[in-house]
Amino acid sequence: MTQTDSIKRTAFVLAGGGSLGAVEVGMLQALLDWGEAPAFMVGASAGAINAAYFAADPTRDGADKLERLWCVIRRRDVFPLNLGSVIGLLRRRDYLVDSYGLRSLLEKHVEYARLEEARLPLYIVASDMLTGEEVVLSSGSVVDAVLASAAIPGVFPPVQIGARLLVDGGVANNTPISTAIKLGATRVIVLPTGFACAISQIPTGAIARALHALSLLVSRQLIHDAEHFANSHVELRIVPSLCPLDTSPYDYSSARALIAKSKACTEQWLESGGLEQGGIPGPLQEHHH
């Protein structure tokens, strides 16, 4: 890393994408091995979960602990569908899944209670359910902030923080490059989850379809933001996502393989000079297999 690089204020921006959030772990490991260290992190949805966990121990060991956590998470831990879910729908409840499963995971594994206690400055992006306005959280309960950022409308209940009802950060800004820039980043490295570009048919089930649609939205929005900031004063680098990818963002059984493949892919990108080149990686652009 050059002296010029060392004075840059680098932010890692972690996007959402359900179970595909596992790929961000491999990217993180490869970047840390390369000598990259963020000044702060910005996360939305699944990216908020990763950012919150890593911010407790922003080291290579912390990234390895995050990998171990992903490898034991199962779908039922995040989406505990049960009789209560059915009864809730019959009673016209306005969400499908209680968030107690995800809350329990966060309370058990995140080692600090408040955002301002993280060892690495951390910003969580959520959305105001009423206005759609972006809400950036940097203080208060870390569990509530992450639950709000990951609260997919209609799937999870909104989270009340202060006077606002908050939902998934993807509604306002799922790959919050603009947020990182407003917070003072002069160099932004985006860790995207990508999307299941190689699946042969539309996923079945309400949650699976919602997550698939959300991952497509994230990728399209990232392309738009990358084009918008291409000629700005900020150095923007986007780590390539996995391609071809046939894993649904509702499938939590493939984390170990996704992390390993993502780490290898990111290492190749770094060795080929990826951090010295701008542009939008091909896997994020619209394509077919």
Side-chain angles (χ1 to χ4, degrees):
M1 188 177 294
T2 68
Q3 185 174 0
T4 302
D5 289 332
S6 66
I7 63 175
K8 292 178 179 177
R9 184 168 166 80
T10 299
F12 281 7
V13 172
L14 279 63
S19 65
L20 300 183
V23 306
E24 295 176 338
V25 181
M27 295 172 178
L28 191 57
Q29 291 171 330
L31 287 166
L32 293 169
D33 288 345
W34 195 257
E36 289 292 336
F40 64 94
M41 299 185 77
V42 183
S45 199
I49 298 172
N50 285 335
Y53 188 91
F54 179 70
D57 182 9
T59 64
R60 184 59 163 81
D61 183 57
D64 289 344
K65 287 191 290 186
L66 181 56
E67 176 182 10
R68 290 193 289 273
L69 176 59
W70 269 101
C71 290
V72 297
I73 291 176
R74 295 295 176 259
R75 180 190 297 167
R76 63 180 177 271
D77 298 326
V78 182
F79 300 100
L81 293 173
N82 50 33
L83 182 59
S85 302
V86 177
I87 294 173
L89 286 177
L90 293 175
R91 291 179 177 175
R92 298 186 178 181
R93 187 176 66 183
D94 55 6
Y95 59 89
L96 183 60
V97 182
D98 281 309
S99 56
Y100 68 82
L102 184 53
R103 177 178 288 277
S104 297
L105 274 175
L106 294 169
E107 290 176 344
K108 180 179 180 181
H109 295 286
V110 176
E111 299 174 353
Y112 55 100
R114 299 180 63 82
L115 288 165
E116 58 269 34
E117 295 171 353
R119 286 176 54 188
L120 184 68
L122 173 64
Y123 300 89
I124 302 298
V125 175
S127 306
D128 187 301
M129 188 174 183
L130 179 64
T131 66
E133 177 186 3
E134 177 184 80
V135 179
V136 180
L137 302 167
S138 58
S139 62
S141 166
V142 62
V143 171
D144 286 348
V146 173
L147 284 177
S149 184
I152 305 167
V155 176
F156 289 118
V159 177
Q160 182 155 0
I161 296 181
R164 287 174 148 172
L165 276 179
L166 302 182
V167 292
D168 198 297
V171 174
N173 198 355
N174 210 309
T175 308
I177 297 170
S178 59
T179 305
I181 294 172
K182 290 175 186 175
L183 291 168
T186 58
R187 182 169 177 259
V188 175
I189 300 178
V190 178
L191 284 64
T193 57
F195 61 97
C197 57
I199 58 172
S200 58
Q201 59 185 9
I202 299 172
T204 58
I207 299 177
R209 289 192 172 193
L211 287 170
H212 179 66
L214 184 62
S215 68
L216 294 174
L217 172 65
V218 173
S219 296
R220 301 299 181 268
Q221 184 175 335
L222 174 52
I223 291 172
H224 177 271
D225 289 351
E227 291 172 344
H228 177 74
F229 292 107
N231 298 316
S232 71
H233 65 283
V234 176
E235 183 180 313
L236 176 62
R237 300 293 182 262
I238 303 172
V239 181
S241 52
L242 293 180
C243 180
L245 180 60
D246 60 2
T247 302
S248 163
Y250 191 45
D251 177 6
Y252 283 79
S253 67
S254 303
R256 190 180 304 277
L258 290 175
I259 292 170
K261 290 177 182 178
S262 179
K263 182 174 181 291
C265 178
T266 304
E267 288 171 343
Q268 293 175 1
W269 177 73
L270 290 167
E271 290 166 1
S272 65
L275 284 176
E276 283 72 55
Q277 304 166 15
I280 302 170
L284 284 173
Q285 302 186 49
E286 188 172 342
H287 62 279
H288 302 281
H289 292 280

